[in-house]
Each structure stands twice: as structure tokens, then as C-alpha cells.
Amino acid sequence: GAGVSQSPSNKVTEKGKDVELRCDPISGHTALYWYRQSLGQGLEFLIYFQGNSAPDKSGLPSDRFSAERTGGSVSTLTIQRTQQEDSAVYLCASSLAKGWGRTGELFFGEGSRLTVL
Amino acid sequence: EDKVVQSPLSLVVHEGDTVTLNCSYEVTNFRSLLWYKQEKKAPTFLFMLTSSGIEKKSGRLSSILDKKELFSILNITATQTGDSAVYLCAAADRGSTLGRLYFGRGTQLTVWP
């Protein structure tokens, strides 16, 4: 597609339920990132995928969070046993290449707003 | 502890005013500082600054970095209502992947007609 596509745009769930958030990056972009933005906070790095390399999972806040990227394209962020503090906007971004040749040119999707009741 | 601090958190001005947004950072092995504009949902890239004292300009927007004092400013001249957005500052260190940017909380700019 023309841009990074995320779904659902809004998700309301009950505490304890599992949720899946999907990201479809720009075609040809090898790098994919997940960030989280809580109300009044900056963007918090969650996880980074680059090609076929092992992902950098160091930003995931707990073992309830996991992500996968199938076929080097679409990514799914899964949150198990959701808690109220998981409520946030989850932003996905993609980039053409690793390294600083294209520094800063992360293309963001419009995010998935998660509300945990 | 925040590595990137932006000020003010919010700013309300009238069209035609000039605004200055501030960003201070404390990142080990600093590499670059980036500015993003976030309208509604998806942040869009504005500038990347690596060298001190070199101003980058894009239309009415300009930005400069001071690596000695560890801060950057983003200036917007002759503001328009379309400039209303959250402006995010992010710092990257040399050890990070391209994606691991440390973001500030943003400055909410509102421009009234």
C-alpha cells in the first residue's frame, strides 16, 4: 500500500482478554518497529524487526507482550491477559533500511488505540 | 527518568506569531536529534540534526542543535492554523538501532486564527 496500515484503529477490551494488533508496512521496507504512546507520554520503543534477523525485543514491557513478523512483511503485536495500564496507542513504523543512510525516515501508521476496561 | 525533555508542554498562539519549541536531551554516545510533527495520529518526519550550529530549514520551519549544551530548538515563523499539532523531539545514540529513538513527551501547539 501507499503507507503503513494498522488495524484495528480502535479496540476496546476487557481486562484479562488477549488482543492482536496488526501492521502492514510499506511494500519493500525491510525494517518494522512497534512503539507505544500513552496519554501525555512520548513514544516508547517496543520491538524492532529487520529482514530475517532476530528481532530486538528489548523494549517489550513484560512477557505478556509478543510480536511476530511473517514473511518479512505483516507484523502482529499480541498482548495477553491485558491490564488497564496497557491502554495506549500502539504505533507501527517501517523504514527502507537499517543504518543511518535514511536516518529518521520512519514512516508511521495511524496507530491502534487500545482501551482496556 | 526522561532522556529527552521538551518545553513548553503546550503553547497557544495566534496566526502570524513566531514560536520556539525547546528540546533538551541526555543520551549516552549521542548520535542525532530528530523532530517529528504529529497531527491526529501518525508522526511525520521534519528534521534530523547531527552537527552543532548548522541550521536546517524547511519553509517556515527551522531547527538547530547545540551539542555542547545538549539541546535543540524548533522555530516556526508566521504560524498558520495548519501548524497546530504535537511536535515530538527524539534523540538517538550511536549504540541504537535506527528504531530505538528516545522520544520526549511533545509540545502541543495550538494556532488560533
Side-chain angles (χ1 to χ4, degrees), chain B residues 57-110:
Chain B
K57 286 180 69 73
S58 176
R60 295 176 294 101
L61 277 66
S62 64
S63 184
I64 197 162
L65 174 68
D66 185 328
K67 291 168 74 172
K68 182 179 178 183
E69 300 297 329
L70 308 183
F71 79 89
S72 174
I73 60 173
L74 174 68
N75 281 316
I76 308 174
T77 59
T79 52
Q80 302 172 357
T81 55
D83 296 327
S84 296
V86 175
Y87 290 83
L88 297 167
C89 170
D93 64 48
R94 290 181 180 275
S96 72
T97 64
L98 179 58
R100 188 188 284 273
L101 300 174
Y102 297 96
F103 280 86
R105 300 185 183 194
T107 293
Q108 171 75 61
L109 174 65
T110 303

Short mmCIF file of all heavy atoms in Angstrom, two decimals, chain B residues 57-110:
data_model
loop_
_atom_site.label_atom_id
_atom_site.label_comp_id
_atom_site.label_asym_id
_atom_site.label_seq_id
_atom_site.Cartn_x
_atom_site.Cartn_y
_atom_site.Cartn_z
N LYS B 57 16.47 24.18 7.47
CA LYS B 57 15.24 24.92 7.19
C LYS B 57 14.36 24.17 6.21
O LYS B 57 14.84 23.48 5.30
CB LYS B 57 15.58 26.29 6.57
CG LYS B 57 16.14 27.30 7.55
CD LYS B 57 16.44 28.63 6.85
CE LYS B 57 15.17 29.35 6.41
NZ LYS B 57 14.44 29.94 7.57
N SER B 58 13.07 24.34 6.44
CA SER B 58 12.09 23.82 5.50
C SER B 58 10.90 24.77 5.55
O SER B 58 10.08 24.71 6.47
CB SER B 58 11.67 22.40 5.88
OG SER B 58 10.65 21.93 5.01
N GLY B 59 10.86 25.67 4.58
CA GLY B 59 9.79 26.66 4.57
C GLY B 59 9.86 27.55 5.80
O GLY B 59 10.89 28.17 6.07
N ARG B 60 8.79 27.57 6.55
CA ARG B 60 8.73 28.43 7.75
C ARG B 60 9.32 27.76 8.98
O ARG B 60 9.37 28.35 10.05
CB ARG B 60 7.27 28.81 8.00
CG ARG B 60 6.66 29.66 6.90
CD ARG B 60 5.17 29.94 7.15
NE ARG B 60 4.38 28.70 7.08
CZ ARG B 60 3.95 28.04 8.14
NH1 ARG B 60 4.20 28.48 9.36
NH2 ARG B 60 3.24 26.94 7.99
N LEU B 61 9.74 26.51 8.84
CA LEU B 61 10.29 25.77 9.97
C LEU B 61 11.80 25.74 9.88
O LEU B 61 12.37 25.62 8.79
CB LEU B 61 9.77 24.33 9.98
CG LEU B 61 8.41 24.06 10.60
CD1 LEU B 61 7.29 24.70 9.82
CD2 LEU B 61 8.18 22.57 10.75
N SER B 62 12.43 25.85 11.01
CA SER B 62 13.88 25.72 11.07
C SER B 62 14.26 25.12 12.41
O SER B 62 13.51 25.22 13.39
CB SER B 62 14.58 27.08 10.88
OG SER B 62 14.24 27.95 11.94
N SER B 63 15.43 24.52 12.43
CA SER B 63 15.87 23.87 13.66
C SER B 63 17.38 23.91 13.74
O SER B 63 18.08 23.94 12.72
CB SER B 63 15.38 22.42 13.70
OG SER B 63 15.72 21.81 14.92
N ILE B 64 17.88 23.91 14.97
CA ILE B 64 19.31 23.94 15.19
C ILE B 64 19.65 23.13 16.43
O ILE B 64 18.81 22.97 17.31
CB ILE B 64 19.81 25.40 15.30
CG1 ILE B 64 21.32 25.49 15.13
CG2 ILE B 64 19.36 26.03 16.62
CD1 ILE B 64 21.80 26.89 14.80
N LEU B 65 20.87 22.63 16.45
CA LEU B 65 21.31 21.76 17.54
C LEU B 65 22.53 22.37 18.23
O LEU B 65 23.41 22.92 17.58
CB LEU B 65 21.68 20.38 16.96
CG LEU B 65 22.31 19.34 17.88
CD1 LEU B 65 21.29 18.87 18.92
CD2 LEU B 65 22.82 18.17 17.05
N ASP B 66 22.56 22.26 19.54
CA ASP B 66 23.71 22.69 20.33
C ASP B 66 24.20 21.48 21.12
O ASP B 66 23.61 21.13 22.15
CB ASP B 66 23.33 23.84 21.27
CG ASP B 66 24.52 24.41 22.02
OD1 ASP B 66 25.47 23.65 22.33
OD2 ASP B 66 24.50 25.60 22.33
N LYS B 67 25.24 20.84 20.64
CA LYS B 67 25.72 19.61 21.27
C LYS B 67 26.50 19.87 22.55
O LYS B 67 26.67 18.97 23.37
CB LYS B 67 26.56 18.81 20.28
CG LYS B 67 25.74 18.24 19.13
CD LYS B 67 26.60 17.71 18.02
CE LYS B 67 27.24 16.40 18.37
NZ LYS B 67 27.92 15.81 17.19
N LYS B 68 26.94 21.09 22.73
CA LYS B 68 27.65 21.43 23.96
C LYS B 68 26.66 21.56 25.11
O LYS B 68 26.88 21.07 26.21
CB LYS B 68 28.43 22.72 23.78
CG LYS B 68 29.24 23.14 25.01
CD LYS B 68 30.01 24.41 24.75
CE LYS B 68 30.76 24.83 26.02
NZ LYS B 68 31.48 26.13 25.82
N GLU B 69 25.57 22.27 24.84
CA GLU B 69 24.55 22.49 25.87
C GLU B 69 23.47 21.41 25.84
O GLU B 69 22.55 21.45 26.66
CB GLU B 69 23.91 23.87 25.70
CG GLU B 69 24.90 25.01 25.80
CD GLU B 69 25.55 25.09 27.18
OE1 GLU B 69 24.88 24.72 28.17
OE2 GLU B 69 26.72 25.50 27.26
N LEU B 70 23.55 20.48 24.90
CA LEU B 70 22.63 19.35 24.82
C LEU B 70 21.18 19.79 24.63
O LEU B 70 20.28 19.38 25.39
CB LEU B 70 22.75 18.45 26.05
CG LEU B 70 24.16 17.96 26.43
CD1 LEU B 70 24.08 17.04 27.62
CD2 LEU B 70 24.84 17.28 25.25
N PHE B 71 20.96 20.64 23.64
CA PHE B 71 19.58 21.00 23.36
C PHE B 71 19.41 21.35 21.89
O PHE B 71 20.38 21.60 21.16
CB PHE B 71 19.09 22.15 24.25
CG PHE B 71 19.54 23.50 23.83
CD1 PHE B 71 18.79 24.26 22.94
CD2 PHE B 71 20.73 24.05 24.31
CE1 PHE B 71 19.20 25.51 22.55
CE2 PHE B 71 21.14 25.31 23.91
CZ PHE B 71 20.38 26.04 23.02
N SER B 72 18.15 21.40 21.51
CA SER B 72 17.78 21.79 20.16
C SER B 72 16.54 22.67 20.25
O SER B 72 15.75 22.56 21.21
CB SER B 72 17.49 20.57 19.30
OG SER B 72 16.99 20.94 18.02
N ILE B 73 16.38 23.54 19.26
CA ILE B 73 15.16 24.31 19.17
C ILE B 73 14.54 24.13 17.79
O ILE B 73 15.25 23.90 16.80
CB ILE B 73 15.38 25.81 19.46
CG1 ILE B 73 16.37 26.42 18.47
CG2 ILE B 73 15.82 26.03 20.90
CD1 ILE B 73 16.47 27.92 18.60
N LEU B 74 13.24 24.23 17.78
CA LEU B 74 12.48 24.22 16.52
C LEU B 74 11.73 25.54 16.45
O LEU B 74 10.97 25.87 17.37
CB LEU B 74 11.51 23.04 16.50
CG LEU B 74 10.55 22.97 15.31
CD1 LEU B 74 11.31 22.66 14.02
CD2 LEU B 74 9.47 21.92 15.54
N ASN B 75 11.99 26.29 15.41
CA ASN B 75 11.31 27.57 15.22
C ASN B 75 10.27 27.46 14.11
O ASN B 75 10.52 26.83 13.08
CB ASN B 75 12.31 28.66 14.82
CG ASN B 75 13.09 29.19 15.99
OD1 ASN B 75 12.54 29.45 17.06
ND2 ASN B 75 14.39 29.35 15.83
N ILE B 76 9.15 28.09 14.34
CA ILE B 76 8.13 28.20 13.31
C ILE B 76 7.77 29.67 13.19
O ILE B 76 7.31 30.28 14.17
CB ILE B 76 6.87 27.38 13.63
CG1 ILE B 76 7.22 25.93 13.97
CG2 ILE B 76 5.91 27.41 12.44
CD1 ILE B 76 6.03 25.09 14.42
N THR B 77 8.00 30.25 12.04
CA THR B 77 7.66 31.65 11.83
C THR B 77 6.32 31.77 11.12
O THR B 77 5.87 30.84 10.44
CB THR B 77 8.74 32.35 10.98
OG1 THR B 77 8.83 31.69 9.72
CG2 THR B 77 10.10 32.31 11.67
N ALA B 78 5.67 32.93 11.30
CA ALA B 78 4.39 33.21 10.63
C ALA B 78 3.46 32.01 10.73
O ALA B 78 2.99 31.47 9.72
CB ALA B 78 4.64 33.58 9.17
N THR B 79 3.19 31.59 11.96
CA THR B 79 2.41 30.38 12.17
C THR B 79 1.05 30.44 11.50
O THR B 79 0.45 31.52 11.34
CB THR B 79 2.20 30.11 13.67
OG1 THR B 79 1.68 31.29 14.29
CG2 THR B 79 3.50 29.69 14.34
N GLN B 80 0.58 29.25 11.11
CA GLN B 80 -0.73 29.10 10.48
C GLN B 80 -1.52 28.06 11.27
O GLN B 80 -0.94 27.25 12.00
CB GLN B 80 -0.56 28.64 9.03
CG GLN B 80 0.28 29.59 8.19
CD GLN B 80 0.60 29.02 6.82
OE1 GLN B 80 0.25 27.90 6.48
NE2 GLN B 80 1.25 29.84 6.00
N THR B 81 -2.83 28.06 11.09
CA THR B 81 -3.65 27.09 11.84
C THR B 81 -3.23 25.66 11.51
O THR B 81 -3.33 24.77 12.36
CB THR B 81 -5.14 27.28 11.54
OG1 THR B 81 -5.35 27.21 10.12
CG2 THR B 81 -5.63 28.64 12.04
N GLY B 82 -2.73 25.44 10.32
CA GLY B 82 -2.27 24.10 9.94
C GLY B 82 -1.03 23.64 10.67
O GLY B 82 -0.65 22.47 10.57
N ASP B 83 -0.40 24.55 11.39
CA ASP B 83 0.77 24.16 12.19
C ASP B 83 0.35 23.53 13.51
O ASP B 83 1.20 23.00 14.24
CB ASP B 83 1.66 25.38 12.48
CG ASP B 83 2.27 25.97 11.21
OD1 ASP B 83 2.56 25.21 10.27
OD2 ASP B 83 2.44 27.21 11.17
N SER B 84 -0.91 23.61 13.84
CA SER B 84 -1.40 23.03 15.09
C SER B 84 -1.14 21.53 15.08
O SER B 84 -1.58 20.82 14.18
CB SER B 84 -2.89 23.31 15.27
OG SER B 84 -3.14 24.68 15.39
N ALA B 85 -0.42 21.07 16.08
CA ALA B 85 -0.02 19.66 16.14
C ALA B 85 0.79 19.46 17.42
O ALA B 85 1.10 20.41 18.13
CB ALA B 85 0.84 19.28 14.93
N VAL B 86 1.15 18.21 17.65
CA VAL B 86 2.13 17.90 18.68
C VAL B 86 3.48 17.75 18.00
O VAL B 86 3.61 17.02 17.01
CB VAL B 86 1.78 16.61 19.44
CG1 VAL B 86 2.89 16.25 20.43
CG2 VAL B 86 0.45 16.76 20.17
N TYR B 87 4.47 18.46 18.51
CA TYR B 87 5.82 18.38 17.94
C TYR B 87 6.67 17.52 18.87
O TYR B 87 6.83 17.83 20.05
CB TYR B 87 6.40 19.77 17.74
CG TYR B 87 5.68 20.49 16.63
CD1 TYR B 87 4.49 21.16 16.87
CD2 TYR B 87 6.17 20.46 15.33
CE1 TYR B 87 3.80 21.79 15.84
CE2 TYR B 87 5.50 21.08 14.29
CZ TYR B 87 4.31 21.74 14.56
OH TYR B 87 3.63 22.35 13.53
N LEU B 88 7.21 16.46 18.31
CA LEU B 88 7.98 15.49 19.08
C LEU B 88 9.46 15.62 18.76
O LEU B 88 9.85 15.75 17.61
CB LEU B 88 7.52 14.07 18.75
CG LEU B 88 6.09 13.71 19.11
CD1 LEU B 88 5.69 12.40 18.44
CD2 LEU B 88 5.92 13.60 20.61
N CYS B 89 10.24 15.54 19.78
CA CYS B 89 11.69 15.55 19.66
C CYS B 89 12.18 14.16 20.05
O CYS B 89 11.65 13.54 20.97
CB CYS B 89 12.24 16.62 20.60
SG CYS B 89 14.01 16.62 20.83
N ALA B 90 13.19 13.66 19.36
CA ALA B 90 13.71 12.33 19.66
C ALA B 90 15.23 12.33 19.52
O ALA B 90 15.77 12.98 18.63
CB ALA B 90 13.11 11.28 18.73
N ALA B 91 15.88 11.60 20.39
CA ALA B 91 17.33 11.51 20.35
C ALA B 91 17.76 10.08 20.12
O ALA B 91 17.12 9.15 20.61
CB ALA B 91 17.94 12.03 21.65
N ALA B 92 18.81 9.90 19.37
CA ALA B 92 19.34 8.57 19.09
C ALA B 92 20.79 8.51 19.53
O ALA B 92 21.53 9.48 19.40
CB ALA B 92 19.24 8.27 17.61
N ASP B 93 21.18 7.37 20.07
CA ASP B 93 22.59 7.21 20.44
C ASP B 93 23.27 6.27 19.45
O ASP B 93 22.62 5.56 18.68
CB ASP B 93 22.74 6.74 21.88
CG ASP B 93 22.16 5.37 22.13
OD1 ASP B 93 22.43 4.43 21.34
OD2 ASP B 93 21.42 5.22 23.11
N ARG B 94 24.57 6.28 19.48
CA ARG B 94 25.34 5.53 18.49
C ARG B 94 25.14 4.03 18.63
O ARG B 94 25.32 3.29 17.69
CB ARG B 94 26.82 5.86 18.64
CG ARG B 94 27.16 7.26 18.20
CD ARG B 94 28.63 7.54 18.34
NE ARG B 94 28.93 8.91 17.92
CZ ARG B 94 29.16 9.27 16.67
NH1 ARG B 94 29.14 8.35 15.72
NH2 ARG B 94 29.40 10.53 16.36
N GLY B 95 24.77 3.60 19.84
CA GLY B 95 24.59 2.17 20.04
C GLY B 95 23.23 1.66 19.63
O GLY B 95 22.98 0.47 19.71
N SER B 96 22.36 2.54 19.21
CA SER B 96 20.98 2.13 18.98
C SER B 96 20.78 1.67 17.55
O SER B 96 21.50 2.03 16.64
CB SER B 96 20.03 3.27 19.28
OG SER B 96 20.11 4.26 18.28
N THR B 97 19.74 0.90 17.42
CA THR B 97 19.27 0.64 16.06
C THR B 97 18.57 1.90 15.56
O THR B 97 18.29 2.80 16.33
CB THR B 97 18.25 -0.51 16.05
OG1 THR B 97 17.10 -0.07 16.80
CG2 THR B 97 18.82 -1.74 16.70
N LEU B 98 18.28 1.95 14.32
CA LEU B 98 17.60 3.11 13.76
C LEU B 98 16.27 3.35 14.48
O LEU B 98 15.84 4.47 14.62
CB LEU B 98 17.35 2.87 12.28
CG LEU B 98 16.61 3.99 11.54
CD1 LEU B 98 17.35 5.30 11.67
CD2 LEU B 98 16.45 3.61 10.08
N GLY B 99 15.67 2.28 14.95
CA GLY B 99 14.35 2.44 15.54
C GLY B 99 14.34 2.91 16.98
O GLY B 99 13.37 3.44 17.45
N ARG B 100 15.42 2.69 17.69
CA ARG B 100 15.39 3.00 19.12
C ARG B 100 15.69 4.48 19.32
O ARG B 100 16.79 4.88 19.67
CB ARG B 100 16.37 2.15 19.90
CG ARG B 100 16.21 2.32 21.41
CD ARG B 100 17.32 1.61 22.15
NE ARG B 100 17.12 0.17 22.18
CZ ARG B 100 16.40 -0.45 23.11
NH1 ARG B 100 15.82 0.22 24.05
NH2 ARG B 100 16.28 -1.76 23.09
N LEU B 101 14.68 5.25 19.11
CA LEU B 101 14.76 6.68 19.36
C LEU B 101 14.13 6.97 20.71
O LEU B 101 13.10 6.41 21.05
CB LEU B 101 14.01 7.47 18.28
CG LEU B 101 14.50 7.28 16.85
CD1 LEU B 101 13.57 8.00 15.89
CD2 LEU B 101 15.92 7.80 16.70
N TYR B 102 14.75 7.82 21.49
CA TYR B 102 14.20 8.23 22.80
C TYR B 102 13.38 9.49 22.56
O TYR B 102 13.93 10.54 22.26
CB TYR B 102 15.31 8.47 23.80
CG TYR B 102 16.14 7.25 24.10
CD1 TYR B 102 17.33 7.01 23.43
CD2 TYR B 102 15.72 6.33 25.06
CE1 TYR B 102 18.09 5.88 23.70
CE2 TYR B 102 16.47 5.20 25.33
CZ TYR B 102 17.66 4.98 24.65
OH TYR B 102 18.39 3.86 24.91
N PHE B 103 12.08 9.37 22.71
CA PHE B 103 11.18 10.49 22.43
C PHE B 103 10.87 11.29 23.68
O PHE B 103 10.74 10.73 24.78
CB PHE B 103 9.86 9.97 21.85
CG PHE B 103 9.91 9.63 20.39
CD1 PHE B 103 10.33 8.37 19.97
CD2 PHE B 103 9.53 10.55 19.44
CE1 PHE B 103 10.37 8.05 18.62
CE2 PHE B 103 9.57 10.24 18.09
CZ PHE B 103 9.99 8.98 17.69
N GLY B 104 10.71 12.60 23.50
CA GLY B 104 10.15 13.44 24.54
C GLY B 104 8.63 13.33 24.53
O GLY B 104 8.05 12.62 23.70
N ARG B 105 8.00 14.03 25.47
CA ARG B 105 6.54 13.93 25.58
C ARG B 105 5.82 14.84 24.59
O ARG B 105 4.60 14.75 24.44
CB ARG B 105 6.11 14.27 27.01
CG ARG B 105 6.72 13.33 28.02
CD ARG B 105 6.21 13.59 29.42
NE ARG B 105 6.87 12.71 30.38
CZ ARG B 105 6.45 12.51 31.61
NH1 ARG B 105 5.37 13.12 32.05
NH2 ARG B 105 7.12 11.72 32.41
N GLY B 106 6.58 15.69 23.93
CA GLY B 106 5.97 16.52 22.91
C GLY B 106 5.53 17.88 23.40
O GLY B 106 5.32 18.10 24.61
N THR B 107 5.40 18.81 22.47
CA THR B 107 4.81 20.12 22.73
C THR B 107 3.55 20.22 21.89
O THR B 107 3.59 20.08 20.67
CB THR B 107 5.77 21.26 22.33
OG1 THR B 107 6.91 21.25 23.20
CG2 THR B 107 5.07 22.61 22.43
N GLN B 108 2.45 20.46 22.58
CA GLN B 108 1.16 20.64 21.89
C GLN B 108 1.04 22.10 21.47
O GLN B 108 0.91 22.98 22.32
CB GLN B 108 0.01 20.26 22.81
CG GLN B 108 -1.37 20.60 22.26
CD GLN B 108 -1.81 19.67 21.15
OE1 GLN B 108 -1.95 18.47 21.34
NE2 GLN B 108 -2.02 20.23 19.97
N LEU B 109 1.11 22.35 20.17
CA LEU B 109 0.99 23.71 19.65
C LEU B 109 -0.41 23.91 19.08
O LEU B 109 -0.87 23.12 18.26
CB LEU B 109 2.03 23.96 18.55
CG LEU B 109 1.92 25.31 17.82
CD1 LEU B 109 2.18 26.47 18.77
CD2 LEU B 109 2.87 25.36 16.64
N THR B 110 -1.06 24.96 19.53
CA THR B 110 -2.37 25.33 19.00
C THR B 110 -2.27 26.73 18.42
O THR B 110 -1.84 27.66 19.12
CB THR B 110 -3.45 25.31 20.10
OG1 THR B 110 -3.49 24.01 20.69
CG2 THR B 110 -4.81 25.65 19.51
#
